[in-house]
Amino acid sequence: MNAPAHIDAPNAPIRHDWTRAEVMALFEKPFMDLVFEAQRVHRLYHDPNKVQLSQLISIKTGGCAEDCGYCSQSAKHKKTTGLEATKLMEVERVLTAAKKAKEGGASRYCMGAAWTSPKDRDMDTLVAMVEGVKDLGLETCMTLGMLDDCQTKRLKEAGLDYYNHNVDTSEEFYGEIITTRTYQERIDTLNRVREAGINVCSGGIVGMGEKVEDRAGMLITLANLDEHPNSVPINMLVAVPGTPLENVERMDPFDFVRAIAVARIMMPKAEVRLSAGRQEMDESTQALCFLAGASSIFYGEQLLTTPNPENNKDMALFGKLGLSPA
Ligand code: SAM
Ligand code: DTB
Ligand code: SF4
């Protein structure tokens, strides 16, 4: 009998029909069994000793009209975070920084803007950034908020490889964190990006005070899309002083590893990125994340507005673990 068409590796099918009960059962597995299973799935599709390096730059910081409770860049939190808003960066500055990122070993450059969505007057600059970064031999990624059809098409034509837009959490918990745009609007942007032929990067945050059910719900949203996102960033909340989530209880690192492992099992081919939160994480936790199937990190000493480990520290960890950049 022929295997069903959706099955790529016999023991790790690519599925889009995950149920809440199945995913909760994964989260409830003994830690060792879960990580072992995640590593098994990981090895079917990925080199277990390679990790992809993506570097971030904030091309437009702060002053954002959205009210995401975790975010330092919302204008709503400006009084308490004290974060100054900037204008859109000049193309040359972005390209100089991208060159440095490439020399440092990054293979993808992710440009982020604190916008609800880009303004049409900014599109020429954004296009020039994509073209310039691509010419340096880097993969390009942008995260600019919601996009309309025309903007998506222009970014695709400029050569944009990936678009990052996170669902952030489960549909049920979402309203506790963000009120200014809906969960469905996020899904619509993801579908638009996918339909335009741009690779989708979508994940979320854990450690915002959500239940395990919400982590399961977020991963079900992502895995049950028509196609799995190509990249799935899993961020541990960076509790930024002055944001509404500044005092949320820090999550247990093993629970973070569990979220990585479940993401890996549910989306076997995706790049699962150990994203924000590494600055607060010890080396052993990061090693467990790699064992649980993380295949990518954010690299470079700055995320968007908060610090990230220095390159030499990351390379020292890679050396200890026998990992090399993909
Ligand atoms: N403004 C755009 C948007 O929200 O779509 C793009 C930039 S936004 C900062 C990108 C993502 O970064 C958010 O969706 C969220 O998942 C993550 N993020 C932002 N602040 C964070 C924090 N304090 N801790 C962890 N992740 C965070
Ligand atoms: C993603 O999932 N995480 C990145 C990127 N996509 C844009 C952003 C993390 C931001 C962490 C908080 C900050 O530095 O402001
Ligand atoms: Fe704005 Fe993005 Fe921050 Fe939300 S996460 S406040 S949309 S920059």
Side-chain angles (χ1 to χ4, degrees):
M1 196 177 81
N2 288 336
H6 67 276
I7 294 185
D8 288 51
N11 297 319
I14 306 298
R15 293 181 44 195
H16 301 272
D17 59 354
W18 290 94
T19 65
R20 185 70 63 133
E22 279 177 312
V23 179
M24 284 306 291
L26 286 175
F27 273 103
E28 283 157 13
K29 265 181 184 272
F31 186 81
M32 300 306 159
D33 291 347
L34 176 64
V35 172
F36 183 80
E37 171 64 1
Q39 175 67 198
R40 183 189 72 76
V41 171
H42 187 53
R43 280 171 183 257
L44 292 171
Y45 294 101
H46 305 264
D47 181 335
N49 300 309
K50 289 231 179 325
V51 174
Q52 188 272 337
L53 308 181
S54 287
Q55 188 144 344
L56 280 165
I57 182 168
S58 180
I59 58 171
K60 192 269 165 190
T61 305
C64 184
E66 303 292 318
D67 69 350
C68 312
Y70 50 76
C71 189
S72 59
Q73 304 199 68
S74 166
K76 204 177 155 207
H77 316 143
K78 183 174 184 276
K79 271 207 187 110
T80 41
T81 60
L83 187 81
E84 286 300 327
T86 67
K87 286 204 194 113
L88 181 59
M89 211 179 250
E90 286 152 21
V91 177
E92 276 317 307
R93 270 187 72 195
V94 174
L95 298 187
T96 305
K99 219 168 155 190
K100 248 182 99 183
K102 174 142 201 237
E103 286 160 8
S107 63
R108 189 179 305 167
Y109 203 56
C110 306
M111 296 162 264
W115 285 327
T116 299
S117 50
K119 301 264 184 310
D120 287 341
R121 63 165 187 264
D122 294 320
M123 289 310 295
D124 288 346
T125 310
L126 297 170
V127 162
M129 287 177 188
V130 173
E131 289 172 347
V133 171
K134 232 180 143 58
D135 283 348
L136 294 171
L138 285 159
E139 287 184 316
T140 52
C141 177
M142 281 187 157
T143 178
L144 315 167
M146 295 181 284
L147 296 179
D148 66 26
D149 284 332
C150 186
Q151 294 168 333
T152 313
K153 190 163 170 271
R154 281 208 70 194
L155 292 172
K156 171 66 186 168
E157 282 164 5
L160 185 68
D161 297 304
Y162 289 82
Y163 194 76
N164 167 243
H165 197 62
N166 291 341
V167 296
D168 277 350
T169 187
S170 67
E171 187 162 14
E172 294 75 23
F173 191 63
Y174 183 87
E176 307 274 317
I177 305 292
I178 300 140
T179 68
T180 47
R181 67 177 158 198
T182 66
Y183 205 69
Q184 188 56 46
E185 282 175 307
R186 292 190 181 241
I187 307 282
D188 293 345
T189 293
L190 294 179
N191 288 333
R192 190 165 288 136
V193 165
R194 170 75 71 203
E195 276 160 26
I198 301 173
N199 292 308
V200 168
C201 171
S202 188
I205 311 178
V206 292
M208 298 193 290
E210 75 284 348
K211 297 197 197 83
V212 178
E213 283 82 354
D214 296 305
R215 293 173 201 156
M218 172 178 93
L219 294 175
I220 289 170
T221 298
L222 296 168
N224 288 359
L225 290 170
D226 290 343
E227 274 186 58
H228 293 169
N230 306 76
S231 296
V232 180
I234 306 291
N235 297 276
M236 184 190 263
L237 175 74
V238 179
V240 180
T243 60
L245 298 188
E246 68 175 321
N247 293 320
V248 168
E249 197 187 333
R250 211 176 133 66
M251 80 185 292
D252 188 307
F254 294 125
D255 290 336
F256 184 77
V257 177
R258 280 192 174 88
I260 296 265
V262 176
R264 165 53 67 227
I265 292 167
M266 293 174 72
M267 293 169 276
K269 281 189 189 174
E271 211 162 56
V272 173
R273 183 170 306 119
L274 161 55
S275 301
R278 288 197 305 115
Q279 180 76 349
E280 293 78 32
M281 226 176 260
D282 61 24
E283 290 191 330
S284 311
T285 305
Q286 293 186 58
L288 282 174
C289 289
F290 297 130
L291 195 62
S295 57
S296 166
I297 56 169
F298 281 125
Y299 185 62
E301 60 191 34
Q302 178 92 353
L303 293 167
L304 291 173
T305 66
T306 66
N308 196 41
E310 285 169 5
N311 291 7
N312 57 12
K313 214 173 151 201
D314 281 340
M315 285 305 116
L317 176 59
F318 275 36
K320 288 188 215 182
L321 300 176
L323 292 173
S324 55

